Amino acid sequence: MNPTQIEIARLTGLSHATVSRALADSPLISKATKEKVRLVASELGYRKNAVMSNLMAMMRAGRDPEVRSTIAFISPFPLDQYCGFDANWEQFYLGAKKRAESLGYHLDVIWRNKPGLTRAGCTAILRARGIRGFIVAPRDRPLGRLSMDWKNFACATLGHNMPGLHLHSAMADHYQNASLALRAARKYGYRRIGLMLTREQDGYFSGMFKAAFLLHLESVSPEERVEPFLQLSDPSPSKDRAAREWIKKHKPDVILCGGSHVDELLASMGLKVPGDMALADLTLALPRENRAGVWERTAETGACAVDLVVERLHNNELGPPAVPNSVRHQGTGHAGPTMPTR
């Protein structure tokens, strides 16, 4: 955390007002006192908070003190494509935007994959717009690297961090969400519970759905055991022969899934939901009347990412943190007709 002027005042034996004037190079303060204050400030690693300094300058000048700083939302797509790509991604953005505005910030979307935009170009845009903090939105290729100038910005990620880089992050608690769905399925009378995800989903969620499911398998009888299927074809699940064979072999009572891939597969096999097989969606962007599962509350996760960035801005903490924090939001179970009580 950035040292405060109060700490400098305590160590120098001066008043807070004197320290503030000395750091502002006020002509009312002697040269010797300024040097004393600057020496202690340097030893503590004190850095001036530019936003607060500008605010105080405007107030002293009798001008409207309203300051509307900007936080960037670094997106893999243009905004319309980003929000249209995935309903949860749209909720990430809307939650972040609402929270930023409530704190007096503007959320500015920057398309990082724009043709011709280099790392230096993206950094130049941030600096030209006076942006000191940004959020890295979920990526279309979550395991890939993102080349950015991190050291001069306060930043956080939405979702899991990238290899080799550790920032503060906000994400859904996928492990707890899967556990929540498993408990609900058991409560509703289902015993042969299956898990079906695409290859991309298993990687994107860092294996957390799978981890919760494997722990569940340790507590069930051999008759209730259904091995997870984590290789569902995308984008053509209805043509996935291995997935069809898995369903025929294991005959699960209910399938935990992420999105509509399994719906398409079951329909192609002539199986009705919930008549022949129940479904619970682990990745609901919003509570839906026609679908059971877990509401991930991603708008709140987006808001949390803004809080992480704003806290670092207020403390004038730039660059990757020494100890990154991960804030995980547990979702809310949502009852629906696709998984009725048996």
Side-chain angles (χ1 to χ4, degrees):
M1 181 178 293
N2 188 37
T4 65
Q5 292 183 7
I6 293 177
E7 292 177 76
I8 298 173
R10 179 175 58 82
L11 292 173
T12 57
L14 301 170
S15 69
H16 182 195
T18 299
V19 168
S20 179
R21 292 190 181 103
L23 291 172
D25 200 25
S26 169
L28 300 176
I29 305 300
S30 69
K31 183 177 179 180
T33 299
K34 290 179 184 177
E35 288 299 325
K36 180 180 180 180
V37 169
R38 288 169 183 165
L39 178 61
V40 173
S42 177
E43 290 175 348
L44 291 176
Y46 173 84
R47 289 178 294 181
K48 188 176 181 181
N49 188 319
V51 174
M52 185 58 67
S53 297
N54 290 338
L55 173 61
M56 296 305 296
M58 293 174 72
M59 292 178 67
R60 286 192 293 269
R63 293 157 56 193
D64 184 355
E66 181 179 354
V67 175
R68 190 169 177 79
S69 298
T70 299
I71 294 173
F73 190 84
I74 308 295
S75 168
F77 308 123
L79 181 59
D80 58 340
Q81 293 182 28
Y82 177 84
C83 290
F85 186 86
D86 183 277
N88 272 309
W89 286 16
E90 180 180 28
Q91 290 301 309
F92 276 139
Y93 169 73
L94 293 176
K97 183 174 184 291
K98 182 178 180 180
R99 181 60 173 167
E101 290 176 348
S102 73
L103 296 174
Y105 288 84
H106 170 68
L107 194 67
D108 191 2
V109 178
I110 295 179
W111 176 20
R112 68 171 178 84
N113 289 335
K114 185 176 182 178
L117 184 62
T118 63
R119 167 185 173 178
C122 191
T123 301
I125 290 174
L126 293 172
R127 288 177 173 165
R129 297 180 185 178
I131 298 174
R132 300 175 65 241
F134 62 80
I135 296 167
V136 181
R139 301 164 298 287
D140 50 331
R141 295 183 180 181
L143 299 182
R145 292 181 179 273
L146 173 60
S147 180
M148 290 284 294
D149 179 8
W150 306 99
K151 65 180 181 297
N152 293 314
F153 298 94
C155 36
T157 65
L158 273 169
H160 295 276
N161 265 300
M162 292 152 282
L165 181 69
H166 301 286
L167 304 173
H168 290 330
S169 58
M171 67 187 77
D173 193 332
H174 299 115
Y175 183 92
Q176 291 298 332
N177 288 354
S179 299
L180 181 63
L182 286 163
R183 290 195 298 270
R186 299 284 294 185
K187 178 181 177 181
Y188 291 168
Y190 296 91
R191 292 297 176 262
R192 292 185 56 77
I193 305 171
L195 174 67
M196 181 171 271
L197 300 172
T198 68
R199 304 174 185 88
E200 291 76 12
Q201 286 173 329
D202 187 37
Y204 186 85
F205 301 125
S206 295
M208 290 295 102
F209 286 155
K210 175 175 61 180
F213 190 80
L214 292 177
L215 182 63
H216 152 77
L217 289 183
E218 294 183 3
S219 65
V220 302
S221 66
E223 295 76 20
E224 296 176 347
R225 188 179 181 89
V226 178
E227 295 297 328
F229 187 84
L230 307 174
Q231 301 294 317
L232 183 61
S233 176
D234 184 13
S236 301
S238 63
K239 299 178 182 179
D240 193 324
R241 180 178 298 178
R244 299 165 78 95
E245 291 301 319
W246 178 84
I247 290 176
K248 292 177 182 178
K249 175 182 177 180
H250 291 285
K251 298 181 176 60
D253 299 330
V254 59
I255 296 177
L256 308 186
C257 60
S260 60
H261 300 83
V262 177
D263 301 66
E264 182 180 335
L265 173 64
L266 295 180
S268 71
M269 297 176 66
L271 297 174
K272 296 181 180 180
V273 178
D276 299 312
M277 197 168 296
L279 281 182
D281 193 334
L282 301 174
T283 61
L284 292 176
L286 291 169
R288 294 168 54 184
E289 293 182 0
N290 64 343
R291 199 163 182 82
V294 179
W295 173 27
E296 287 200 302
R297 310 185 76 96
T298 39
E300 295 174 25
T301 306
C304 180
V306 171
D307 289 339
L308 290 172
V309 171
V310 169
E311 180 181 16
R312 290 183 64 77
L313 287 173
H314 285 180
N315 292 328
N316 209 22
E317 296 173 343
L318 307 179
V323 181
N325 295 322
S326 177
V327 181
R328 297 172 184 260
H329 282 142
Q330 184 172 333
T332 301
H334 179 66
T338 60
M339 190 175 72
T341 301
R342 300 187 79 180

